[in-house]
């Protein structure tokens, strides 16, 4: 993974880039930083490329990569399939070599279409004076753009900086609707920037209309986006969503308050068809996890085994269904002597006024020991960090220990106070979440940042000691709810509009996940010099789930804790997990209790004033 930056200037004006942006980029890529400037004399333009590398595989490869003919590549990605990358090879070098051999747009699109894994890139094609850039189909790597009309400069970057003041931000996320090409000769002559769009397409079904709408909403002021003249497209790496609706709908009685239990799943697995579907999902997910936990830095100087404490892999861990399955599958593919870090974040619960008053009374009447002991029992035994995700996290840890008692599971308790939250938000997190700006972005961005930092405590033999995760790779469960109807809004839509409405909701979920979640989470986790990996968004997993009719993935006539993400719950049962298989969905902002720290009257979609810099 890397922090990448490109500044295209089509005027002679000197343009200085924000030092805050530079610092953010360096934190993303702590292993090597390098700048490179290229330009054309006729036409006159200048491109400043800056790259900051987090070394993840093969030999450490400096970026920007410039080949013998003058092409330049900035690459922020991981190749997990489609293009062969040997163990000792670096994927940046492999992509650079393949792109260097391309002489036409269709050849470049062919290379990009084969890639499997997350990526964001900027590529300067010297022959013809072209600048290409874009993100993968699912938008799993951040790329932002901004155009400064005063100095005729376009900026592309992995991460930006939030500027103070009431003026609206000029930064936008580059839509993951396709890739883009700028003809630098035309730009220089016209004095204005025009992007050619090369959209993703499913076979013969192009996505031009939806692409146009998505892109037009994000195009920087002063720029223009047009479809490429030959009508070339990229081949989407996943199959289209199955929109089939059953001919005969059996209206089952819905029991929303019925208690769900593991026996419900056992009964469903008795069906061979359901059991086979579940096994196939496990196979796809297991392979997705394997690719992500075994594609680790190639150790040239250090061939010694990982120490007892130091893990290579960490998981954002709540003890809920999604993270438990990731942990169980990671256990299959990580050597037994290596630990796995389970990162569990909690925000300090605020003591209610009544409880504070009770505590004062206890102090005042401390000469009554019997009464004092009874009233103060809870405060002595519970911690203000015993939030719901901490409770389910400990229960999940016990399940994993039962599953593999020989594995060292580092359950990292990450505790955050209101004071630390407020200070870090202003100093760092507001810049990383930007240009997103809602209350929900604030809550999740902050929770993920502290979790990914991995600084907390682990408990050994009833003793707590400070611990900081050393893992460079962090697995996250994002994508499971969006594909398997895990949110409460999916149940509401199903109740109102049946399967047709649910399918429309799921299609929308997957199309907007790049702009709502993935860029933000990549920026937040990358700030620690760590890489986010998303097994539920592996192309093969998405294709398999897209191929299934919706009623095979979820049955929302069944109660909470069973019906939503039904197929994944069955997978958990087949993997040997227990009560975690039937835990109802709980959003991270509520499970970690960060939502309780601030204004409870806010809506998730409100603009968050706390993200404004002072």
């Amino acid at each position: 993974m890397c922090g990448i930056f490109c500044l295209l200037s089509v005027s002679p004006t000197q343009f200085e880039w924000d030092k805050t942006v530079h610092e953010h980029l360096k934190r993303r890529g702590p292993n090597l930083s390098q700048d490179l400037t290229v330009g054309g004399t006729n036409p006159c333009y200048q491109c400043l490329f800056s790259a900051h590398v987090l070394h993840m595989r093969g030999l450490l490869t400096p970026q920007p990569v410039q080949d013998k003919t003058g092409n330049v590549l900035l690459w922020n990605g991981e190749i997990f399939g489609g293009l062969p990358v040997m163990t000792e090879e670096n994927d940046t070098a492999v992509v650079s070599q393949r792109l260097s051999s391309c002489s036409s747009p269709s050849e470049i699109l062919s290379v990009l279409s084969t890639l499997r894994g997350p990526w964001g890139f900027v590529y300067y094609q010297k022959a013809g004076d072209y600048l290409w850039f874009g993100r993968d189909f699912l938008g799993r790597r951040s790329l932002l753009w901004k155009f400064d009309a005063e100095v005729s400069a376009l900026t592309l970057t992995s991460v930006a900086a939030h500027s103070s003041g009431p003026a609206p931000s000029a930064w936008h996320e580059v839509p993951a609707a396709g890739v883009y090409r700028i003809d630098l000769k035309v730009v220089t002559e016209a004095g204005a920037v025009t992007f050619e769009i090369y959209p993703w397409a499913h076979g013969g079904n192009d996505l031009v209309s939806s692409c146009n709408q998505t892109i037009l909403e994000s195009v920087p002021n002063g720029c223009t986006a047009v479809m490429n003249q030959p009508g070339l497209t990229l081949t989407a790496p996943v199959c289209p969503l199955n929109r089939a609706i059953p001919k005969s709908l059996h209206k089952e009685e819905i029991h929303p308050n019925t208690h769900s239990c593991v026996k419900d799943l056992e009964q469903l697995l008795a069906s061979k068809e359901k059991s086979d579907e579940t096994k196939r999902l496990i196979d796809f997910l297991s392979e997705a996890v394997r690719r992500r936990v075994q594609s680790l830095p190639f150790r040239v100087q250090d061939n010694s085994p990982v120490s007892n404490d130091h893990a290579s892999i960490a998981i954002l861990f709540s003890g809920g269904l999604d993270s438990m399955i990731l942990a169980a599958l990671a256990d299959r593919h990580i050597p037994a002597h290596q630990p796995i870090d389970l990162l569990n974040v909690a925000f300090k619960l605020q003591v209610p006024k009544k409880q504070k008053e009770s505590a004062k009374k206890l102090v005042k009447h401390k000469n009554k020991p019997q009464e004092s002991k009874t009233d103060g029992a809870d405060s002595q035994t519970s911690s203000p960090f015993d939030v719901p995700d901490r409770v389910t996290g400990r229960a999940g840890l016990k399940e994993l220990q039962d599953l593999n008692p020989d594995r060292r599971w580092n359950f990292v308790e990450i505790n955050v106070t209101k004071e630390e939250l407020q200070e870090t938000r202003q100093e760092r997190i507001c810049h990383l979440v930007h240009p997103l700006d809602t209350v929900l972005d604030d809550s999740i961005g902050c929770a993920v940042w502290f979790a990914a930092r991995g600084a907390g405590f682990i408990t050994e033999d009833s003793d707590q000691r400070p611990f900081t995760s050393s893992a460079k790779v962090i697995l996250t469960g994002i994508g499971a709810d969006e594909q398997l109807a895990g949110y409460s809004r999916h149940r509401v839509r199903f109740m109102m509009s049946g399967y047709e409405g649910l399918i429309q909701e799921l299609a929308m979920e997957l199309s907007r996940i790049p702009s709502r979640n993935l860029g933000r989470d990549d920026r937040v986790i990358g700030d620690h010099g760590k890489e986010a990996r998303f097994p539920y968004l592996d192309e093969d997993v998405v294709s398999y789930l897209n191929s299934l009719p919706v009623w095979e993935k979820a049955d929302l006539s069944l109660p909470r804790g069973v019906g939503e993400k039904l197929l994944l719950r069955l997978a958990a049962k087949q993997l040997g997990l227990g009560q975690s298989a039937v835990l109802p969905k709980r959003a991270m902002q509520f499970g970690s209790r960060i939502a309780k720290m601030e204004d409870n009257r806010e809506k998730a979609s409100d603009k968050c004033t706390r993200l404004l810099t002072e």
Side-chain angles (χ1 to χ4, degrees):
M1 190 197 77
C2 303
I4 60 176
F5 176 95
C6 173
L7 174 66
L8 165 63
S9 176
V10 292
S11 78
T13 308
Q14 287 295 317
F15 187 83
E16 292 186 12
W17 52 303
D18 195 324
K19 290 181 180 178
T20 309
V21 173
H22 190 257
E23 288 304 312
H24 291 321
L25 290 164
K26 282 177 67 177
R27 281 197 290 270
R28 287 179 64 86
N31 297 124
L32 191 148
S33 294
Q34 192 168 277
D35 297 341
L36 174 67
T37 302
V38 299
T41 53
N42 186 24
C44 180
Y45 62 83
Q46 192 175 67
C47 289
L48 166 64
F49 299 99
S50 183
H52 308 266
V53 178
L54 174 67
H55 181 214
M56 296 304 298
R57 67 199 296 182
L59 297 172
L60 178 59
T61 302
Q63 289 199 52
V65 177
Q66 186 171 32
D67 67 16
K68 294 177 181 177
T69 57
N71 301 315
V72 178
L73 174 67
L74 294 175
W75 174 256
N76 174 27
E78 291 289 343
I79 297 176
F80 295 127
L83 197 64
V85 181
M86 300 297 104
T87 306
E88 69 282 0
E89 287 185 310
N90 180 273
D91 57 351
T92 305
V94 171
V95 172
S96 176
Q97 290 163 10
R98 290 298 296 268
L99 290 177
S100 295
S101 67
C102 298
S103 57
S104 67
S106 60
E107 290 177 348
I108 287 181
L109 298 178
S110 178
V111 171
L112 296 174
S113 294
T114 64
L115 303 180
R116 298 294 179 266
W119 49 265
F121 84 109
V122 180
Y123 182 62
Y124 170 65
Q125 192 178 15
K126 186 173 177 61
D129 295 288
Y130 294 118
L131 190 70
W132 294 80
F133 60 95
R135 303 161 70 192
D136 70 83
F137 179 76
L138 293 164
R140 290 162 290 184
R141 288 291 174 259
S142 170
L143 191 63
L144 308 176
W145 59 8
K146 180 179 77 167
F147 182 70
D148 191 325
E150 289 185 10
V151 291
S152 298
L154 173 74
T155 306
L156 300 162
T157 180
S158 297
V159 61
H162 193 298
S163 56
S164 57
S169 168
W171 289 108
H172 293 280
E173 291 188 321
V174 174
V179 297
Y180 310 85
R181 187 181 78 163
I182 299 173
D183 187 326
L184 298 171
K185 297 186 298 294
V186 172
V187 166
T188 305
E189 291 165 4
V193 176
T194 298
F195 311 108
E196 284 184 299
I197 307 165
Y198 295 82
W200 294 102
H202 291 299
N205 273 328
D206 63 41
L207 311 173
V208 172
S209 58
S210 60
C211 281
N212 268 338
Q213 186 59 36
T214 304
I215 293 164
L216 289 175
E217 291 171 358
S218 303
V219 168
N221 291 332
C223 300
T224 308
V226 297
M227 198 60 58
N228 73 88
Q229 280 297 105
L232 298 174
T233 62
L234 295 137
T235 304
V238 303
C239 73
L241 181 67
N242 186 331
R243 293 176 178 267
I245 296 174
K247 292 179 181 178
S248 58
L249 295 178
H250 301 288
K251 275 281 185 183
E252 298 181 37
E253 188 178 354
I254 297 173
H255 304 285
N257 297 318
T258 303
H259 179 68
S260 55
C261 63
V262 177
K263 286 185 178 178
D264 298 331
L265 300 178
E266 292 172 350
Q267 292 173 2
L268 289 165
L269 280 171
S271 155
K272 184 178 186 305
E273 183 183 0
K274 188 63 71 177
S275 178
D276 288 346
E277 280 178 357
T278 303
K279 184 180 181 303
R280 282 195 291 273
L281 175 60
I282 291 173
D283 289 343
F284 281 118
L285 269 176
S286 180
E287 176 60 16
V289 170
R290 185 197 67 77
R291 292 169 182 162
R292 284 155 179 80
V293 302
Q294 292 185 355
S295 296
L296 297 174
F298 179 62
R299 296 173 182 270
V300 179
Q301 298 172 331
D302 179 13
N303 292 316
S304 60
V306 178
S307 74
N308 201 33
D309 262 358
H310 294 92
S312 296
I313 298 292
I315 301 169
L316 294 186
F317 187 77
S318 66
L321 175 67
D322 308 341
S323 59
M324 284 292 290
I325 284 181
L326 292 184
L329 292 176
D331 182 53
R332 286 183 170 188
H333 301 295
I334 295 173
H337 69 273
Q338 293 184 15
I340 296 175
D341 291 347
L342 308 173
L343 309 178
N344 184 273
V345 67
F347 292 81
K348 188 175 183 180
L349 292 167
Q350 305 303 301
V351 181
K353 287 184 179 179
K354 287 184 179 179
Q355 195 171 328
K356 286 181 179 178
E357 289 169 4
S358 297
K360 287 179 181 176
K361 287 178 183 177
L362 288 174
V363 173
K364 190 173 182 181
H365 302 289
K366 60 183 178 183
N367 58 339
K368 298 179 181 179
Q370 189 174 358
E371 181 184 349
S372 180
K373 183 178 179 181
T374 304
D375 291 347
D378 287 345
S379 61
Q380 290 175 8
T381 57
S382 65
S383 161
F385 295 104
D386 282 345
V387 301
D389 278 1
R390 180 62 47 82
V391 175
T392 54
R394 287 177 182 143
L397 171 65
K398 181 67 170 63
E399 283 191 36
L400 294 172
Q401 288 171 333
D402 291 342
L403 199 66
N404 186 354
D406 296 327
R407 167 84 62 192
R408 180 184 175 90
W409 301 95
N410 290 325
F411 183 70
V412 189
E413 299 185 28
I414 299 158
N415 300 331
V416 187
T417 63
K418 189 171 185 177
E419 295 73 24
E420 186 179 15
L421 168 64
Q422 292 174 338
E423 181 182 344
T424 309
R425 177 195 284 122
Q426 280 295 309
E427 182 184 333
R428 299 270 282 275
I429 300 172
C430 68
H431 298 293
L432 304 168
V433 171
H434 188 69
L436 305 187
D437 59 4
T438 68
V439 169
L440 183 63
D441 292 316
D442 171 54
S443 295
I444 296 181
C446 290
V448 170
W449 190 91
F450 280 104
R453 185 175 65 169
F457 298 88
I458 59 173
T459 302
E460 294 175 323
D461 301 324
S462 300
D463 291 328
Q464 267 197 344
R465 67 177 177 86
F467 180 91
T468 299
S469 173
S470 60
K472 276 188 175 183
V473 170
I474 297 182
L475 302 183
T476 165
I478 195 166
D481 292 301
E482 287 79 2
Q483 298 180 82
L484 290 147
Y487 293 121
S488 57
R489 60 178 175 267
H490 295 135
R491 190 174 287 273
V492 171
R493 188 70 187 270
F494 176 71
M495 296 284 288
M496 291 176 61
S497 311
Y499 283 110
E500 187 172 353
L502 179 59
I503 290 167
Q504 290 172 358
E505 193 75 18
L506 292 176
M508 181 178 66
E509 292 281 7
L510 206 56
S511 69
R512 68 185 183 183
I513 196 173
S515 58
R516 284 171 67 96
N517 306 87
L518 295 173
R520 178 199 63 212
D521 289 359
D522 175 63
R523 292 190 294 275
V524 167
I525 293 174
D527 191 57
H528 300 291
K530 300 180 181 183
E531 181 171 285
R533 293 186 178 176
F534 311 100
Y536 290 106
L537 293 171
D538 178 88
E539 288 86 351
D540 290 342
V541 173
V542 175
S543 279
Y544 175 62
L545 292 175
N546 274 0
S547 72
L548 295 175
V550 66
W551 61 88
E552 300 290 356
K553 296 181 280 192
D555 184 351
L556 299 184
S557 67
L558 296 174
R560 284 189 74 227
V562 176
E564 73 279 14
K565 296 192 287 192
L566 174 61
L567 193 60
L568 198 61
R569 296 183 186 283
L570 295 173
K573 181 70 186 84
Q574 280 204 355
L575 287 169
L577 298 176
Q579 194 59 31
S580 60
V582 291
L583 282 178
K585 166 70 181 176
R586 185 170 55 230
M588 187 179 197
Q589 65 270 28
F590 301 119
S592 68
R593 281 299 187 260
I594 186 173
K596 293 286 186 183
M597 270 197 164
E598 310 289 357
D599 186 353
N600 291 332
R601 295 165 297 179
E602 295 174 319
K603 294 179 181 178
S605 58
D606 288 347
K607 292 211 180 291
C608 183
T609 56
R610 293 182 297 278
L611 288 171
L612 299 175
T613 53
E614 295 176 350

